[in-house]
Amino acid sequence: MEQHLRKLRISKIKELDIWPGNRTQIEQAEFKDQLIVKYECGHPNQHTIKCMVLNAYFNRDVVRASHIWKYCTQGIGLTEFGLRYNDLNCYRNGLLMYTSIEQAFDRKELCFIYDPFQAKLILKILHKGDDGLMNSMILDKNDLKLYKNYTQFKDIDGKSLSLPKNVYPFRRLLNWHARCAHEYAKTKKWISTSDNFDDFYDLSDLVSLPGDDLNEEDII
């Protein structure tokens, strides 16, 4: 399977680049609740949940339960990555992110790159420059007043995703999103054509990765 995935390169990007997808306006409450429990993002005040990027709590309605492999695909394409159709609604195919971060992820303006030596997923902003994200506030005006959180996108560049120990989203899917996002960013001239990163599957040959990247039901 890994040899197959190494060959899944530029020739497949157009076919399997699913971002941005058709956005789901109504969230699946069951999926969101699953993410809150598995990623330990709940709060005694049940009206607030944690954004996994900002590592801060906000009202439930402004933290999106985002499918990494978009819900609108109905799972088509997951088998290319050794996953199953029903992995679409697995918690490992989801992230909890403040709305503007989730939108930037979907637009391929930022991505997450796995660092196997730190065992962390690191956020990388791709849309830089004068018209980019870096100096933009993450919270909208109403939330700025409510939470007094003045974090800008430049403050989360290089920040690690907040995760419980040895609990990971599907890194193979985040890796593919990052690869598609890099190719897109190069066409938009946001980044240099020489800006690359190590493939998740190449790295997995070099180091022991904590947590199997398949669905936990497959772990024997």
Side-chain angles (χ1 to χ4, degrees):
M1 183 183 69
E2 292 181 5
Q3 184 64 33
H4 165 68
L5 286 165
R6 288 195 185 95
K7 295 178 181 178
L8 200 61
R9 292 294 187 265
I10 303 303
S11 62
K12 279 285 188 179
I13 281 184
K14 186 174 182 181
E15 178 185 346
L16 290 175
D17 184 354
I18 59 167
W19 303 275
N22 294 323
R23 295 178 58 78
T24 305
Q25 297 301 317
I26 300 175
E27 290 184 301
Q28 297 171 292
E30 185 177 346
F31 181 65
K32 191 168 194 173
D33 289 341
Q34 184 185 180
L35 299 186
I36 293 169
V37 172
K38 295 292 189 179
Y39 291 129
E40 299 178 5
C41 290
H43 191 276
N45 172 3
Q46 295 184 4
H47 296 294
T48 62
I49 57 177
K50 184 169 68 176
C51 166
M52 296 168 67
V53 174
L54 295 173
N55 198 23
Y57 292 86
F58 303 95
N59 284 340
R60 184 183 174 105
D61 62 338
V62 298
V63 178
R64 295 279 300 179
S66 176
H67 285 77
I68 300 169
W69 195 258
K70 306 305 291 182
Y71 182 74
C72 63
T73 66
Q74 299 182 320
I76 294 172
L78 283 175
T79 55
E80 294 280 0
F81 301 91
L83 299 172
R84 303 166 301 197
Y85 289 109
N86 61 5
D87 285 321
L88 182 68
N89 286 318
C90 172
Y91 77 92
R92 299 190 66 194
N93 186 41
L95 297 172
L96 290 164
M97 298 183 285
Y98 185 84
T99 302
S100 61
I101 301 174
E102 189 265 346
Q103 291 170 343
F105 175 84
D106 195 46
R107 294 192 299 260
K108 294 179 285 194
E109 295 178 292
L110 60 81
C111 63
F112 295 94
I113 297 176
Y114 186 66
D115 182 338
F117 303 103
Q118 297 185 67
K120 293 180 179 179
L121 283 156
I122 307 299
L123 186 147
K124 179 178 180 180
I125 292 181
L126 300 171
H127 191 183
K128 299 181 179 180
D130 294 338
D131 64 340
L133 291 177
M134 297 296 271
N135 294 317
S136 299
M137 289 289 182
I138 292 176
L139 272 60
D140 66 24
K141 291 181 180 179
N142 291 332
D143 286 338
L144 279 174
K145 293 178 182 178
L146 180 61
Y147 296 104
K148 309 298 182 186
N149 184 319
Y150 301 100
T151 306
Q152 295 178 302
F153 276 93
K154 66 182 178 183
D155 300 319
I156 62 172
D157 190 27
K159 185 177 176 65
S160 60
L161 195 65
S162 176
L163 293 166
K165 185 176 181 180
N166 288 343
V167 177
Y168 293 93
F170 286 127
R171 290 164 290 181
R172 63 189 63 200
L173 297 182
L174 287 174
N175 177 272
W176 183 250
H177 171 272
R179 192 161 297 283
C180 293
H182 273 71
E183 292 302 318
Y184 179 71
K186 289 173 185 178
T187 66
K188 302 291 286 185
K189 302 189 184 307
W190 294 342
I191 60 174
S192 165
T193 55
S194 62
D195 190 335
N196 295 302
F197 63 98
D198 290 317
D199 188 278
F200 174 80
Y201 294 95
D202 293 334
L203 286 171
S204 66
D205 287 340
L206 302 175
V207 296
S208 177
L209 297 175
D212 194 298
D213 199 54
L214 291 173
N215 193 315
E216 58 192 6
E217 295 176 0
D218 294 325
I219 301 174
I220 298 174

PDB file of all heavy atoms in Angstrom, residues 22-28 64 71:
ATOM      1  N   ASN A  22     -17.934  21.465  -1.378  1.00  0.00           N
ATOM      2  CA  ASN A  22     -19.212  22.122  -1.110  1.00  0.00           C
ATOM      3  C   ASN A  22     -19.433  22.114   0.398  1.00  0.00           C
ATOM      4  O   ASN A  22     -19.545  21.060   1.012  1.00  0.00           O
ATOM      5  CB  ASN A  22     -20.357  21.370  -1.808  1.00  0.00           C
ATOM      6  CG  ASN A  22     -20.231  21.446  -3.315  1.00  0.00           C
ATOM      7  OD1 ASN A  22     -19.827  22.469  -3.859  1.00  0.00           O
ATOM      8  ND2 ASN A  22     -20.555  20.357  -3.991  1.00  0.00           N
ATOM      9  N   ARG A  23     -19.464  23.291   0.990  1.00  0.00           N
ATOM     10  CA  ARG A  23     -19.514  23.393   2.441  1.00  0.00           C
ATOM     11  C   ARG A  23     -20.860  22.922   2.980  1.00  0.00           C
ATOM     12  O   ARG A  23     -21.910  23.232   2.437  1.00  0.00           O
ATOM     13  CB  ARG A  23     -19.251  24.830   2.891  1.00  0.00           C
ATOM     14  CG  ARG A  23     -17.846  25.294   2.561  1.00  0.00           C
ATOM     15  CD  ARG A  23     -17.634  26.734   2.966  1.00  0.00           C
ATOM     16  NE  ARG A  23     -17.878  26.930   4.377  1.00  0.00           N
ATOM     17  CZ  ARG A  23     -17.018  26.602   5.339  1.00  0.00           C
ATOM     18  NH1 ARG A  23     -15.869  26.056   5.021  1.00  0.00           N
ATOM     19  NH2 ARG A  23     -17.303  26.820   6.605  1.00  0.00           N
ATOM     20  N   THR A  24     -20.799  22.150   4.055  1.00  0.00           N
ATOM     21  CA  THR A  24     -22.008  21.675   4.713  1.00  0.00           C
ATOM     22  C   THR A  24     -22.491  22.760   5.664  1.00  0.00           C
ATOM     23  O   THR A  24     -21.797  23.116   6.612  1.00  0.00           O
ATOM     24  CB  THR A  24     -21.722  20.380   5.504  1.00  0.00           C
ATOM     25  OG1 THR A  24     -21.142  19.423   4.619  1.00  0.00           O
ATOM     26  CG2 THR A  24     -22.993  19.819   6.097  1.00  0.00           C
ATOM     27  N   GLN A  25     -23.653  23.307   5.407  1.00  0.00           N
ATOM     28  CA  GLN A  25     -24.163  24.403   6.220  1.00  0.00           C
ATOM     29  C   GLN A  25     -24.640  23.928   7.590  1.00  0.00           C
ATOM     30  O   GLN A  25     -24.499  24.620   8.584  1.00  0.00           O
ATOM     31  CB  GLN A  25     -25.307  25.109   5.480  1.00  0.00           C
ATOM     32  CG  GLN A  25     -24.879  25.768   4.174  1.00  0.00           C
ATOM     33  CD  GLN A  25     -23.791  26.811   4.366  1.00  0.00           C
ATOM     34  OE1 GLN A  25     -23.842  27.618   5.298  1.00  0.00           O
ATOM     35  NE2 GLN A  25     -22.792  26.784   3.505  1.00  0.00           N
ATOM     36  N   ILE A  26     -25.212  22.741   7.622  1.00  0.00           N
ATOM     37  CA  ILE A  26     -25.713  22.201   8.880  1.00  0.00           C
ATOM     38  C   ILE A  26     -24.757  21.110   9.350  1.00  0.00           C
ATOM     39  O   ILE A  26     -24.546  20.113   8.669  1.00  0.00           O
ATOM     40  CB  ILE A  26     -27.134  21.630   8.713  1.00  0.00           C
ATOM     41  CG1 ILE A  26     -28.088  22.731   8.237  1.00  0.00           C
ATOM     42  CG2 ILE A  26     -27.628  21.030  10.020  1.00  0.00           C
ATOM     43  CD1 ILE A  26     -29.484  22.237   7.923  1.00  0.00           C
ATOM     44  N   GLU A  27     -24.147  21.324  10.510  1.00  0.00           N
ATOM     45  CA  GLU A  27     -23.199  20.354  11.030  1.00  0.00           C
ATOM     46  C   GLU A  27     -23.922  19.102  11.525  1.00  0.00           C
ATOM     47  O   GLU A  27     -25.081  19.150  11.926  1.00  0.00           O
ATOM     48  CB  GLU A  27     -22.410  20.954  12.191  1.00  0.00           C
ATOM     49  CG  GLU A  27     -21.434  22.021  11.791  1.00  0.00           C
ATOM     50  CD  GLU A  27     -20.631  22.487  12.995  1.00  0.00           C
ATOM     51  OE1 GLU A  27     -21.245  22.961  13.958  1.00  0.00           O
ATOM     52  OE2 GLU A  27     -19.409  22.363  12.951  1.00  0.00           O
ATOM     53  N   GLN A  28     -23.206  17.997  11.507  1.00  0.00           N
ATOM     54  CA  GLN A  28     -23.725  16.767  12.074  1.00  0.00           C
ATOM     55  C   GLN A  28     -23.417  16.774  13.568  1.00  0.00           C
ATOM     56  O   GLN A  28     -22.254  16.697  13.976  1.00  0.00           O
ATOM     57  CB  GLN A  28     -23.069  15.562  11.409  1.00  0.00           C
ATOM     58  CG  GLN A  28     -23.358  15.436   9.924  1.00  0.00           C
ATOM     59  CD  GLN A  28     -22.493  14.356   9.312  1.00  0.00           C
ATOM     60  OE1 GLN A  28     -21.283  14.492   9.223  1.00  0.00           O
ATOM     61  NE2 GLN A  28     -23.120  13.265   8.909  1.00  0.00           N
ATOM     62  N   ARG A  64     -16.025  24.915  14.308  1.00  0.00           N
ATOM     63  CA  ARG A  64     -16.585  24.007  13.312  1.00  0.00           C
ATOM     64  C   ARG A  64     -16.031  22.594  13.465  1.00  0.00           C
ATOM     65  O   ARG A  64     -14.839  22.400  13.702  1.00  0.00           O
ATOM     66  CB  ARG A  64     -16.247  24.500  11.904  1.00  0.00           C
ATOM     67  CG  ARG A  64     -16.866  25.828  11.522  1.00  0.00           C
ATOM     68  CD  ARG A  64     -18.289  25.693  11.081  1.00  0.00           C
ATOM     69  NE  ARG A  64     -18.427  24.821   9.914  1.00  0.00           N
ATOM     70  CZ  ARG A  64     -19.599  24.537   9.349  1.00  0.00           C
ATOM     71  NH1 ARG A  64     -20.714  25.040   9.831  1.00  0.00           N
ATOM     72  NH2 ARG A  64     -19.658  23.747   8.293  1.00  0.00           N
ATOM     73  N   TYR A  71     -17.151  15.926   3.517  1.00  0.00           N
ATOM     74  CA  TYR A  71     -18.393  15.157   3.646  1.00  0.00           C
ATOM     75  C   TYR A  71     -19.115  15.033   2.306  1.00  0.00           C
ATOM     76  O   TYR A  71     -19.744  14.014   2.014  1.00  0.00           O
ATOM     77  CB  TYR A  71     -19.297  15.825   4.683  1.00  0.00           C
ATOM     78  CG  TYR A  71     -20.589  15.088   4.932  1.00  0.00           C
ATOM     79  CD1 TYR A  71     -20.602  13.902   5.663  1.00  0.00           C
ATOM     80  CD2 TYR A  71     -21.795  15.578   4.442  1.00  0.00           C
ATOM     81  CE1 TYR A  71     -21.787  13.217   5.891  1.00  0.00           C
ATOM     82  CE2 TYR A  71     -22.982  14.900   4.669  1.00  0.00           C
ATOM     83  CZ  TYR A  71     -22.976  13.720   5.397  1.00  0.00           C
ATOM     84  OH  TYR A  71     -24.148  13.044   5.618  1.00  0.00           O
TER      85      TYR A  71
END
